[in-house]
Amino acid sequence: MQKSLHIDPSKCTGCLQCEMACSYENHGVFNIAKSRIKVFNFEHEGRKVPYTCTQCAEAWCLNACPVDAIRIDAATGAKVVHKDVCVGCKVCTIACPFGTINYVADSGKVQKCDLCGGDPACVTACPTAAITYVDADWTGLEKMRQWAGKTNTQSRASA
Amino acid sequence: MGWARKILRVDLSKGTCKSEPLNMEWAQQYLGQRGLATKYFVEEVDPKVDPLSPANKLIMATGPLTGTMASTGGRYSVITKGALTGAIACSNSGGYIGAELKMAGWDMIIFEGKSPKPVYLSIQDDVAELRDASHLWGKTTWDTEEIIKSSHHDPQVRVCSIGRAGENGVLYACIVNDLHRAAGRSGVGTVMGSKNLKAVAVRGTVGVSGIRDFKAFMTATTAAKKVLADNAVTGQGLPTYGTQVLMNVINEMGALPTRNAKDVQFEGARKISAEAMHEKRLSDGKANLLTNAACFGCTIACGRISQVDKNHWSVVNSPKYWGATGGLEYEAAWSLGAADGVDDLDALTVANMICNEDGMDPITFGATVGAVMELYTMGVLTKEQIGIESPFGSAQALLEIAHMTAEGRGFGKEMALGSARLTAKYGHPELSMSVKSQEFPAYDPRGIQGMGLTYATSNRGACHLRSYTVASEVLGIPVKTDPLVTEGKPALVMAFQDATAAFDSSGTCVFTTFAWSLNDLAPQIDAACEGGEAGWSVERLAELGARIWNMERVFNNAAGFTAKDDDLPARLKTEPAQSGPAKGLVSGIDKMVPEYYKLRGWDAAGVPDKETLARLGL
């Protein structure tokens, strides 16, 4: 079964545990500046939104890379940057419509979410299940369940 | 190591920034944050110093767990001699700036001297410099943060700053970070203002890497997070209702100081409670509360994000208050509400916004308004003097006085004194509900006896956060005690004081202690920090807490405080509670203090015995 990261911003509290977990998993350090998932705080609307690569089926970053440094992990479907091949040209960062592949000045390479090989650290760290790792074909299942529940309640209330 | 092992010393008089190695010997004795910064402070500053003179210093300090994956590991503290109290001050804040400072590679910043002109400190990893702040002087904390982010071309920079209250010498000015978190009490922002230091802007990309045993640390922090999630208070009550979960509970107990503590129950409590924040307003069909929010690393998320009705009379012409922002915590809802007899939820929310916007401690501000309203009722202060009719219950007066105080105009200049100095000036010092010149918060010592001793003996003046015996006396954590009796309270207060001092020195939030004890904290610190052969045990942390408490006490004694300052306002000792379960009771503070001194190993004058100091390595 293909799985996919699913983000529900309404559950996000802005604690940044996901960013810490990401930097620790990939860099062995607690450093949100190195995280591949970012939480954006829309202060005046009271909204916090975690955002990272959605692993496009037809990945523009992958297609744009001149040295084939971005490849598909057959097990997870993640588009993975191979650091030893990447030349740091940043063309992928231009190609990506969402800005979720980023250049890292320290290493001279780009980095993006690779789903941690199928066990995303951000999902484990999130205390409110704002970030989940679910069946890729059913990312909306939880929302469907919620609406289904409301429909049921209404019919009983009007009966 | 948990620690970054590096401190930044900023000489504001000379305009220099220098890096120094952290004193690791002291770190083994005082851990970090509150404990370690206070150690630096008492070693370097004369206890008799005028808080607003250049000779006073101000320290911003993180703990070893700040900037790590430990839950709530984002705290920082500001240590100085308090402008309001003249006692040791230690104000703690969450938000994000503490973690950012740690991730920039610094354990603490020591500010000394006084800048000849307004400046702000800019930190980008290991590069620190003082920059001109003449364009920021006179600006609110909200505008200051926006201008700095814009001029740095960096939306990710974190800022703490003083507002106009700190510039104008309001004695209870705080230091606001991330728009609505604050190092709030004792006038730490006033000290910052006296040094012509407007703000600190931090961007950290180095990260925290020196954890002693990463694997053990992940195991310990994961287990501790589960304890928080499984606990009814930290897992459900606080995220859903915030600290405001207490409003109706404390009112029912008859322990909600009302109208300057004339009463212990407020008939309008329900209207300003957590439950009311969830309800849809009749005016616009929306709830006051939008959502909850977490500080850095926090898996509890007690923070409130609120939005008032745009058509509320207080903001109809002020669009800057229309957006979502930090909402009412329990202490602010009490001080701006019950303490003044005001039950207009949106008005309280706006008053709280003004406190955030211009950096004022809402507890002292609201309690001072309560004293002013009583003086007005007695005819001592008049409409002409204040500028507005100010009976208890007037939301209009509350907000007008808030604006005047924040902007430093009219009666606001009197308000800047706080209740102790203001009531004394008008001949009624007995009307100040304060200890060591700092107003006590939202728990009436007639209905929760342990809190009376907490207030009387708090080293930073009256405060609930030095020994929150409400946990035991109300919520039964760790064991239920009877709130109406004094028996056993001295030992309870002492244990809470010591444990809290350890938590305050770690980088975690004291709200974890609804679920955590030192048993949960010790493994996290031990995994993060070198602790020698002994490691970081529960016993070591408890002793460290006692060491910190006594160190603070020694400083205060040397500053001129004596046993007579460990006392409550006469009202709490002579005017019995008029309703509720505590009806007829006064505070039994006079019974508790001598026993507390004895347990502490202090003499009858409240001075630590030589043996006590030697035992604690002081």
Side-chain angles (χ1 to χ4, degrees), chain A residues 13-15 17 20 30-31 43, chain B residues 68 96 180 205 208 225 294 297:
Chain A
T13 62
C15 74
Q17 284 281 347
M20 302 273 276
F30 298 131
N31 186 356
E43 189 70 44
Chain B
T68 73
Y96 299 96
H180 45 76
T205 66
V208 178
K225 284 172 193 169

Side-chain angles (χ1 to χ4, degrees), chain A residues 9-86:
Chain A
S10 71
K11 291 181 180 169
C12 177
T13 62
C15 74
L16 309 190
Q17 284 281 347
C18 56
E19 296 194 19
M20 302 273 276
C22 182
S23 65
Y24 175 61
E25 178 74 19
N26 294 295
H27 297 276
V29 55
F30 298 131
N31 186 356
I32 57 175
K34 286 194 156 62
S35 173
R36 300 164 182 187
I37 185 166
K38 289 279 171 213
V39 178
F40 292 90
N41 187 356
F42 298 92
E43 189 70 44
H44 299 295
E45 300 162 34
R47 289 197 306 135
K48 295 175 165 70
V49 184
Y51 205 73
T52 190
C53 174
T54 56
Q55 315 293 347
C56 305
E58 196 167 311
W60 298 19
C61 60
L62 181 152
N63 289 329
C65 180
V67 294
D68 290 333
I70 304 174
R71 299 170 196 170
I72 299 174
D73 179 329
T76 63
K79 281 61 187 184
V80 179
V81 177
H82 288 252
K83 276 201 279 189
D84 48 342
V85 182
C86 174

Side-chain angles (χ1 to χ4, degrees), chain B residues 123-315:
Chain B
I123 297 175
Q124 163 87 42
D125 292 336
D126 54 353
V127 180
E129 59 180 356
L130 290 168
R131 296 186 181 177
D132 177 53
S134 50
H135 63 301
L136 300 172
W137 208 252
K139 297 277 192 270
T140 67
T141 66
W142 294 354
D143 289 342
T144 299
E145 178 162 334
E146 191 177 314
I147 293 167
I148 288 176
K149 282 183 170 172
S150 165
S151 66
H152 284 222
H153 304 292
D154 185 358
Q156 300 191 81
V157 69
R158 304 290 186 187
V159 178
C160 69
S161 66
I162 55 165
R164 289 173 293 183
E167 296 175 10
N168 294 336
V170 173
L171 288 175
Y172 42 93
C174 45
I175 302 171
V176 176
N177 60 282
D178 303 291
L179 302 178
H180 45 76
R181 312 309 310 182
R185 302 221 70 190
S186 313
V188 296
T190 323
V191 174
M192 185 160 157
S194 76
K195 298 187 172 304
N196 273 330
L197 177 64
K198 178 67 180 177
V200 179
V202 189
R203 182 83 160 93
T205 66
V206 177
V208 178
S209 55
I211 301 297
R212 186 180 69 81
D213 180 342
F214 257 111
K215 197 164 168 241
F217 186 70
M218 296 306 275
T219 305
T221 53
T222 301
K225 284 172 193 169
K226 187 166 186 313
V227 172
L228 293 176
D230 292 346
N231 180 280
V233 177
T234 51
Q236 293 159 27
L238 285 175
T240 307
Y241 294 112
T243 53
Q244 270 273 66
V245 69
L246 288 167
M247 184 62 74
N248 286 323
V249 175
I250 303 295
N251 190 50
E252 288 298 311
M253 288 183 68
L256 189 69
T258 299
R259 287 176 283 268
N260 206 33
K262 284 157 69 83
D263 298 302
V264 295
Q265 290 186 307
F266 180 40
E267 64 286 355
R270 204 204 60 78
K271 290 168 78 176
I272 61 169
S273 67
E275 290 79 357
M277 289 170 73
H278 277 267
E279 286 164 11
K280 287 178 178 163
R281 286 182 289 252
L282 290 174
S283 54
D284 65 352
K286 293 176 184 164
N288 174 282
L289 181 76
L290 269 184
T291 183
N292 66 326
C295 295
F296 182 93
C298 176
T299 57
I300 302 172
C302 73
R304 305 290 93 184
I305 301 296
S306 283
Q307 193 164 20
V308 297
D309 181 354
K310 290 175 191 165
N311 290 313
H312 188 269
W313 56 267
S314 62
V315 298

